[in-house]
Amino acid sequence: MKRTPSVILGLCSYTHDSSAALLVDGELVGFVEEERLSEQKHTKLYPARAVGWLLDQAKLSATDVDAVAYNFQPARYLAESPAALRMALSPMTRDRSLARAHGFAKVALRTRRRLRVLGSQFPSARVTPVLHHRAHQLTAFASSGWEEAAVLVVDSLGERQTTTIAHGHGVQRPRVQTLEAINDPDSLGYVYGAVTEHLGWRRGDEEGTVMALAALADPARFRHLFTTAVRTTAMGFRIHPGYFPTRTLTSGYPRTSRRFVAETCPERHPSEPLTDVHRDLAAALQERTEQVMVHLARRARVLTGSRRLCVGGGVATNCVSIGKIIEAGIFDEVFVPPAPGDAGTAIGAALAVHVDARTPRPVAGIARRCYLGPSYEDQPLDLTPRPGLHQKTLGIETAEFLADQLAHGVIAGLFQGGVEAGPRALGNRSILASPLEPGVVERLNATVKFREPFRPFAPMVPAERAAEFFTLGQPAPYMSMASGVTDLTRERVPAIVHANGTSRLQTVTRLQNPFMHAVLTAFGRRTGVPVLINTSLNVKGKPICGTPEMALDCLASSGLDALLLEGRWITK
């Protein structure tokens, strides 16, 4: 009789954003991205620290793991090789067809080897590869806690798929059925990454910078180019290979064509100044991305008939596009999980194995949860190696103390509880500042975060008061949606309004984060405005601080005034 796995380890590893998740009898023990523990941003290494923490939390060893769920299926890559060879029939794609066939076959074989390596580390486990987009779908849907919803996943590439529309059902035993799929080389994520790289930023890391830059310019100059290069169809979209040559999965092949360069601008080196042409290119790219995402959302509505939508995949981190979907009124509510990118597929892969085992055990611990990583409440703190830092232990009025400090212009780091899942700081690994302080955005960018001066900062607000300041009209617990603002916001807190008139909002409830809700409420009593700037506890190029040591280093090496670390107020 087939044994039902009761200990399932989900892994994202060897590609980028390595992470791990652990299900024991259907309940999520935890989830953490390896970068939060290793200090290597977007690391692709096997998540040894994450796995070690999870097994320690569950009081288990590697031999107790029944199943390892991996977030890619090698056979699906191999299936692309014959299709790639058929591209030789078209003059547009002929020059890359052999390289593409070879690249996909090579990745398929490499993925098989990786599965064997994983199997050797867990001797009692069955290693199961999970279709990448299915893992995305399950993460997005199960995290919503809804009984039924449409599920839209848009990323760069998962095996062959780049975009899928599915229908999700079930809370205790979530399942998803893919209704439609778009395959590579038609990839919205690929296009956005290609232009990000062309503009001088790191693909797979700094697409958010391009999104921010887009608000400063006029998309009209390159609107026609992107309408031609990314053409919408009845079932989705197509990418013109004359502008974005076919992907090869092999290094040395540029992602933009000579035609693209001729009709836009030369590739920008990161050290070169930004000009209007760069800004306009970003604006046109962002505008077309928003249009295509709304188009796909409408398609998901037609296919599923659902009034709710879950969005996953790397493109789901484009908060302005998510805001446009909400604004269009296609769905009653839109949900993006806290970890919509590849890291989050560790959860979805584990869920897939659990659901496929047809176990009677219900899924638990995933819906509406974001603080899923390690916490350090009881860990002693030794500042001896950092003689420039000083600490004092605070009493029971910690929230009031922090609110008062912020109201007086202090920029403070906050380190409390479990580390957040996903790319946004959500009040446990945050840098907080008053939006009422003159020049606060400039100071944060220049002396704390060390990043581009046009980058905006996200506001957080108690959920019950969000409507006073923002027009979104629905919860935004994971800072994944851009919202319009009210006249009150423009008048009282213009610092949190970006050039396009929106803010990437986080709504906070007392249930979700009691301490942060108390800080916001106390700040509101002092200032009349219960809104704080919230950005991640890190500096540019570094991951969000997952450990106390990382947080202390951030304090010591940046323009932070202080750090509240598990009830201890640390200053320089």
Side-chain angles (χ1 to χ4, degrees), residues 294 297 309 319-336 471-476 480-482:
V294 171
L309 174 69
C319 64
V320 182
S321 292
I322 301 300
K324 292 292 184 182
I325 293 172
I326 295 169
E327 190 179 277
I330 306 164
F331 294 90
D332 293 340
E333 191 171 348
V334 176
F335 177 84
V336 180
T471 62
L472 191 67
Q474 69 154 74
S480 51
M481 302 158 180

Side-chain angles (χ1 to χ4, degrees), residues 47-284:
R49 292 173 178 85
V51 171
W53 173 74
L54 287 166
L55 292 176
D56 185 63
Q57 285 291 105
K59 296 180 173 54
L60 299 171
S61 69
T63 57
D64 296 314
V65 176
D66 298 304
V68 174
Y70 187 61
N71 63 335
F72 287 100
Q73 286 186 341
R76 299 294 183 118
Y77 282 107
L78 199 58
E80 182 59 30
S81 288
L85 291 174
R86 287 195 294 273
M87 290 181 177
L89 300 175
S90 168
M92 277 280 193
T93 56
R94 181 176 299 149
D95 62 331
R96 293 196 177 193
S97 61
L98 283 175
R100 180 176 170 88
H102 174 75
F104 273 80
K106 184 177 178 181
V107 171
L109 295 174
R110 185 190 303 153
T111 306
R112 283 180 178 173
R113 288 197 298 270
R114 288 167 176 169
L115 293 176
R116 287 196 294 270
V117 169
L118 291 175
S120 68
Q121 297 188 58
F122 300 93
S124 305
R126 174 173 48 88
V127 180
T128 302
V130 174
L131 187 66
H132 189 69
H133 268 235
R134 186 184 178 208
H136 271 306
Q137 292 164 356
L138 281 168
T139 301
F141 178 62
S143 298
S144 75
W146 290 336
E147 181 63 38
E148 175 273 335
V151 185
L152 171 65
V153 173
V154 187
D155 66 0
S156 179
L157 180 68
E159 296 100 7
R160 304 175 72 189
Q161 296 175 330
T162 69
T163 306
T164 52
I165 295 172
H167 204 176
H169 293 275
V171 174
Q172 294 189 331
R173 295 173 183 81
R175 59 196 185 280
V176 289
Q177 179 187 6
T178 299
L179 304 177
E180 218 161 67
I182 297 172
N183 289 341
D184 197 66
D186 298 312
S187 169
L188 195 59
Y190 181 83
V191 168
Y192 212 104
V195 179
T196 296
E197 198 168 60
H198 189 81
L199 288 172
W201 284 289
R202 291 187 300 274
R203 172 173 47 85
D205 180 28
E206 297 184 292
E207 282 82 355
T209 303
V210 175
M211 182 178 66
L213 181 66
L216 307 180
D218 183 359
R221 190 196 307 204
F222 299 115
R223 181 174 289 143
H224 177 71
L225 183 152
F226 278 100
T227 302
T228 304
V230 186
R231 179 173 56 87
T232 55
T233 67
M235 293 175 62
F237 63 92
R238 299 294 302 273
I239 303 301
H240 195 309
Y243 290 98
F244 299 99
T246 306
R247 185 196 321 251
T248 64
L249 297 184
T250 304
S251 60
Y253 288 83
R255 294 183 170 227
T256 53
S257 68
R258 281 180 288 192
R259 177 178 175 181
F260 179 86
V261 173
E263 295 184 22
T264 58
C265 61
E267 186 173 342
R268 171 183 168 267
H269 189 273
S271 65
E272 293 175 357
L274 284 169
T275 66
D276 286 344
V277 71
H278 301 129
R279 297 182 187 93
D280 290 347
L281 187 59

Side-chain angles (χ1 to χ4, degrees), residues 289-473:
T289 300
E290 294 163 16
Q291 291 168 349
V292 174
M293 287 294 283
V294 171
H295 178 66
L296 291 168
R298 293 190 191 280
R299 182 66 180 164
R301 174 77 176 91
V302 169
L303 287 175
T304 64
S306 178
R307 295 300 308 173
R308 287 171 161 173
L309 174 69
C310 302
V311 191
V315 183
T317 60
N318 191 296
C319 64
V320 182
S321 292
I322 301 300
K324 292 292 184 182
I325 293 172
I326 295 169
E327 190 179 277
I330 306 164
F331 294 90
D332 293 340
E333 191 171 348
V334 176
F335 177 84
V336 180
D342 274 13
T345 59
I347 297 174
L351 277 173
V353 172
H354 177 78
V355 170
D356 289 349
R358 301 187 184 278
T359 172
R361 304 181 187 97
V363 166
I366 297 173
R368 305 287 170 160
R369 296 274 305 280
C370 64
Y371 308 111
L372 298 171
S375 60
Y376 300 85
E377 288 98 331
D378 302 320
Q379 180 172 305
L381 194 63
D382 181 14
L383 295 184
T384 305
R386 299 176 177 88
L389 300 183
H390 312 280
Q391 67 171 314
K392 69 175 180 178
T393 302
L394 302 179
I396 59 173
E397 297 297 325
T398 305
E400 294 286 342
F401 173 86
L402 180 57
D404 190 64
Q405 292 289 317
L406 295 169
H408 282 89
V410 169
I411 295 178
L414 175 61
F415 186 107
Q416 61 151 355
V419 67
E420 295 93 335
R424 317 293 188 207
L426 302 171
N428 277 17
R429 302 291 187 276
S430 291
I431 293 172
L432 304 174
S434 168
L436 307 174
E437 193 71 14
V440 65
V441 170
E442 292 77 12
R443 183 184 166 197
L444 279 166
N445 274 326
T447 69
V448 179
K449 299 288 285 188
F450 306 115
R451 65 184 199 179
E452 296 82 2
F454 58 82
R455 296 277 296 273
F457 288 96
M460 60 195 320
V461 63
E464 66 272 17
R465 299 195 61 182
E468 298 174 40
F469 299 91
F470 306 98
T471 62
L472 191 67

